[in-house]
């Protein structure tokens, strides 16, 4: 049984930075595609960034150039470094481990990011 636990969210002023962490247990982060999603109030959950097993990174156009996804294999943790934050980045951010073969997908519980103007 896998578990993802996010941390690092909080309240920050526009232009500030945050680093979100996703600590995984029962899921090996470099053997899965790992993703960060976000969901703002009244909006659908959207993909923010992903990192494949091979280390290929992809970003949503809305965050490209401001956000970096990375992983620490030793810590079995995935990170989302967010810089130049904007009020429109305000959302609950979720870590996601994609399904792999017969192994199910997993979601974290989410961490709130609030950017004040």
């Amino acid at each position: 049984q896998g578990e993802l636990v996010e941390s690092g969210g909080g309240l920050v002023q526009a232009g500030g930075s945050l680093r979100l962490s996703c600590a995984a247990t029962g899921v090996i982060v470099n053997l899965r595609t790992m993703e960060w999603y976000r969901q703002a109030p009244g909006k659908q959950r959207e993909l923010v960034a992903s990192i494949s097993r091979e280390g290929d990174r992809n970003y949503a156009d809305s965050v490209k150039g401001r956000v970096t996804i990375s992983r620490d294999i030793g810590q079995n943790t995935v990170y989302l470094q967010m810089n130049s934050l904007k009020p429109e980045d305000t959302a609950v951010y979720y870590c996601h481990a994609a399904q792999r073969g017969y192994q199910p997908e997993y979601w974290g519980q989410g961490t709130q990011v609030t950017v004040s103007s």
Side-chain angles (χ1 to χ4, degrees):
Q1 184 72 15
E3 184 179 20
L4 304 175
V5 178
E6 301 100 332
S7 61
L11 174 63
V12 64
Q13 288 188 332
S17 298
L18 283 174
R19 188 178 79 156
L20 307 183
S21 300
C22 171
T25 55
V27 175
I28 308 301
V29 298
N30 60 314
L31 297 184
R32 300 263 193 141
T33 292
M34 299 297 297
E35 299 165 324
W36 283 97
Y37 282 78
R38 68 185 181 187
Q39 187 166 20
K43 295 188 177 181
Q44 289 190 329
R45 193 171 294 190
E46 63 173 350
L47 178 63
V48 176
S50 65
I51 182 167
S52 71
R53 292 174 57 191
E54 295 77 15
D56 297 324
R57 295 168 171 83
N58 285 286
Y59 300 96
D61 288 341
S62 58
V63 302
K64 204 169 289 184
R66 301 188 295 119
V67 163
T68 302
I69 188 170
S70 62
R71 64 190 178 194
D72 184 324
I73 297 172
Q75 296 294 320
N76 205 35
T77 298
V78 178
Y79 301 98
L80 188 71
Q81 177 68 45
M82 302 190 294
N83 301 322
S84 302
L85 283 162
K86 304 176 181 180
E88 51 263 44
D89 294 319
T90 295
V92 178
Y93 284 71
Y94 297 91
C95 182
H96 178 247
Q99 179 183 3
R100 182 193 175 197
Y102 63 89
Q103 297 171 337
E105 65 176 344
Y106 294 100
W107 288 93
Q109 82 288 351
T111 185
Q112 176 71 47
V113 171
T114 303
V115 184
S116 63
S117 56

